[in-house]
Amino acid sequence: MKKFSLLMIALLMFVFVVGCSSGGAEPAAPAADAAAKNMEDLVVGYAQIGAESEWRTANTASIQETAKTLNVDLRFSDAQQKQENQIAAIRSYIAEGVDVIGFSPVVETGWETVLQEAKDAGIPVIMVDRRADVPRELYATYLGSDFVEEGRKAGNEMNTLLSDGGKIVELVGTVGSAPANDRYSGFRETVNSNIEIIDSQSGDFTRAKGKEVMEAFLKKYGNEITGLYAHNDDMAIGAIQAIEEFGLKPGVDIKIVSIDAVRGAFEAMIAGKLNVTVECNPLLGPQFYELALRAVNGESLPEWVPSEESVYYPDNAAELLPQRQY
Ligand code: GZL
């Protein structure tokens, strides 16, 4: 009997001690990884290409303004369209130990070494806007447009404008960049065989270079040119100036199809100088930070998150212009 009561006392004491300790202190968190970060904990390094176009200006504004709205600690750099500057910026973010790196690769190649350094440092990388040609394990995801589809849409629009055929020139984007490569090939998938591309040169996505190259086209081919395919609106707007200075009517004598759908394109369509602009959405900030947080918290992301885009025409450009965000 005595043994039994002693045993019961010991048991009751054990239950009492355990009951108090478990009742008093918080239950120990399960042995898990570091606590999940919130948006305001996030430190982001962003290596932007430059400020070459209206599109890029809007894209930068979206990245920077969204960071302010979300209280994200954003470290931002402008590479003036030089790959070496983007690589240096990414290395500085690795050295700073940011949580995540975002960048828009100015060209598709030459990124494997620096992205491997980011991976070795345990920092996820998100490609935004443009894509780099690197192994899948070197980036968390790619957020951007389907540039090939944009090119296909442009080819279909040129077929409508030049239904009886014609001779066109092409202003290509930055040589080696994903949008230039893909808009070039997408256009050739759909443009009709009765439309001959008599020349194709890079205007580097800028107004100034677009005007310069168009002046050279006009000098060489003159009135032979009946259409222009520009890989972005900034080059198209530069070309419009060259066409007018040459004495022809842009949008009438030379039909023009462009890509981006920036405000300047809507203004040119309202003035009857541009016939079509295919949208390429620069407002990627909100999606970028949402993906960045998920990557930092260890979530595996899809290889590609495509943006939604449309096509715009002169007939309702004046009505839509006030609503355009870029
Ligand atoms: C496309 C983007 C391109 C735009 C240009 O996503 O990379 O770069 O079409 C910009 O206007 O310069």
Side-chain angles (χ1 to χ4, degrees):
M1 182 60 182
K2 199 172 177 186
K3 271 186 185 171
F4 178 74
S5 55
L6 280 175
L7 183 60
M8 278 305 288
I9 292 166
L11 189 60
L12 283 170
M13 283 177 72
F14 174 75
V15 168
F16 175 74
V17 167
V18 169
C20 286
S21 62
S22 61
E26 282 296 308
D33 298 334
K37 282 190 178 270
N38 297 313
M39 204 58 94
E40 55 276 2
D41 305 326
L42 219 46
V43 180
V44 174
Y46 197 94
Q48 179 62 294
I49 287 180
E52 74 280 1
S53 62
E54 244 186 278
W55 191 98
R56 188 66 54 201
T57 304
N59 179 243
T60 290
S62 180
I63 299 293
Q64 292 180 328
E65 287 162 20
T66 308
K68 285 197 192 97
T69 307
L70 298 173
N71 290 321
V72 166
D73 177 352
L74 174 66
R75 318 297 166 72
F76 187 90
S77 62
D78 171 335
Q80 285 100 43
Q81 289 208 200
K82 291 182 174 57
Q83 181 174 29
E84 60 269 26
N85 292 347
Q86 280 192 294
I87 290 171
I90 291 170
R91 286 203 165 109
S92 71
Y93 299 142
I94 294 170
E96 286 171 44
V98 298
D99 294 315
V100 59
I101 292 170
F103 82 120
S104 176
V106 60
V107 292
E108 290 193 81
T109 55
W111 301 99
E112 202 149 335
T113 303
V114 72
L115 295 192
Q116 185 60 55
E117 290 167 20
K119 182 178 172 64
D120 295 345
I123 301 174
V125 172
I126 294 177
M127 297 193 285
V128 182
D129 166 32
R130 299 186 188 177
R131 201 187 50 248
D133 182 14
V134 294
R136 176 67 184 97
E137 66 270 14
L138 293 185
Y139 61 98
T141 188
Y142 161 55
L143 165 63
S145 305
D146 183 341
F147 302 127
V148 177
E149 182 57 21
E150 292 170 352
R152 292 190 194 104
K153 288 176 182 174
N156 289 327
E157 296 302 329
M158 190 63 85
N159 295 338
T160 304
L161 289 164
L162 298 178
S163 52
D164 297 331
K167 292 186 176 183
I168 70 170
V169 290
E170 179 183 30
L171 289 170
V172 177
T174 301
V175 175
S177 68
N181 294 337
D182 292 356
R183 288 169 184 170
Y184 181 95
S185 56
F187 185 81
R188 284 156 177 76
E189 284 182 26
T190 57
V191 72
N192 289 336
S193 55
N194 64 355
I195 295 174
E196 185 189 354
I197 304 170
I198 58 174
D199 212 328
S200 173
Q201 283 185 42
S202 177
D204 206 19
F205 283 133
T206 68
R207 290 191 185 196
K209 193 78 177 136
K211 182 180 182 194
E212 186 188 311
V213 174
M214 191 67 204
E215 284 166 348
F217 285 155
L218 288 161
K219 196 168 172 198
K220 191 171 177 185
Y221 306 103
N223 299 19
E224 213 183 328
I225 301 171
T226 56
L228 163 66
Y229 167 42
H231 288 194
N232 84 328
D233 295 333
D234 283 72
M235 293 190 293
I237 290 164
I240 284 167
Q241 291 165 6
I243 293 166
E244 289 179 315
E245 288 168 11
F246 186 77
L248 292 175
K249 292 193 184 73
V252 179
D253 301 324
I254 296 180
K255 302 297 185 188
I256 306 176
V257 176
S258 182
I259 298 177
D260 275 354
V262 296
R263 274 199 193 89
F266 279 76
E267 288 155 0
M269 288 195 290
I270 291 164
K273 300 178 181 178
L274 175 68
N275 302 93
V276 181
T277 182
V278 175
E279 186 180 33
C280 175
N281 182 2
L283 307 179
L284 301 174
Q287 274 182 289
F288 166 61
Y289 291 108
E290 184 252 328
L291 291 166
L293 189 64
R294 288 165 60 188
V296 168
N297 286 327
E299 190 180 329
S300 63
L301 300 173
E303 178 178 3
W304 177 18
V305 178
S307 12
E308 297 297 318
E309 289 156 356
S310 184
V311 183
Y312 296 98
Y313 307 92
D315 55 351
N316 61 351
E319 173 201 337
L320 291 176
L321 180 58
Q323 304 155 27
R324 296 297 295 167
Q325 296 178 66
Y326 66 95

